[in-house]
Amino acid sequence: MSQDSNSRLVYSTDGGHVAQDAAPTNASPFPDDGIVRLRRETKGRKGAGVITVFGVPPSQQKAIATLLKKKCGTGGSLKEGVIEIQGDKRDLIKAELEKAGFSVKLVGG
């Protein structure tokens, strides 16, 4: 292709310079400092509130999720390392996690 002063490249399928992510992003918005964080969320859930629990070690997540669902008497799930418990039972969840030996912090509204 000749370089003419009146022509310019409009579209190219050549990859060119594409920026690559150097560091993988962490799934959790919270630091991994050993503190378990509880947050109430309603966004994207059609107004239904859930309590999300971040910071539980991966080896204990399934057992803690099961324990919290039984103690609260509600449903819940474990998604990508985040425990979700239906309803607003932050005080009960905090008490159970502290009884299990975790340092707990309430975050958000």
Side-chain angles (χ1 to χ4, degrees):
M1 181 169 127
S2 67
Q3 290 293 350
D4 187 16
S5 64
N6 290 330
S7 70
R8 62 187 169 91
L9 180 65
V10 176
Y11 178 79
S12 174
T13 57
D14 182 27
H17 177 68
V18 179
Q20 299 292 327
D21 261 346
T25 58
N26 189 1
S28 173
F30 298 112
D32 187 21
D33 57 0
I35 296 175
V36 175
R37 290 171 170 84
L38 301 178
R39 179 168 66 179
R40 183 173 185 273
E41 292 183 2
T42 57
K43 189 172 184 175
R45 302 173 195 282
K46 298 181 182 177
V50 297
I51 303 300
T52 55
V53 182
F54 298 91
V56 177
S59 61
Q60 296 176 315
Q61 288 174 349
K62 189 169 183 176
I64 294 294
T66 303
L67 170 77
L68 293 176
K69 289 192 292 184
K70 285 182 182 178
K71 291 290 183 176
C72 294
T74 62
S77 65
L78 175 62
K79 296 180 182 174
E80 299 175 359
V82 178
I83 300 171
E84 296 179 353
I85 304 295
Q86 295 174 355
D88 188 6
K89 299 184 186 315
R90 281 180 288 193
D91 298 329
L92 179 61
I93 293 171
K94 181 178 180 186
E96 288 300 321
L97 288 171
E98 287 174 342
K99 194 186 306 181
F102 292 104
S103 175
V104 181
K105 183 183 272 189
L106 298 176
V107 296

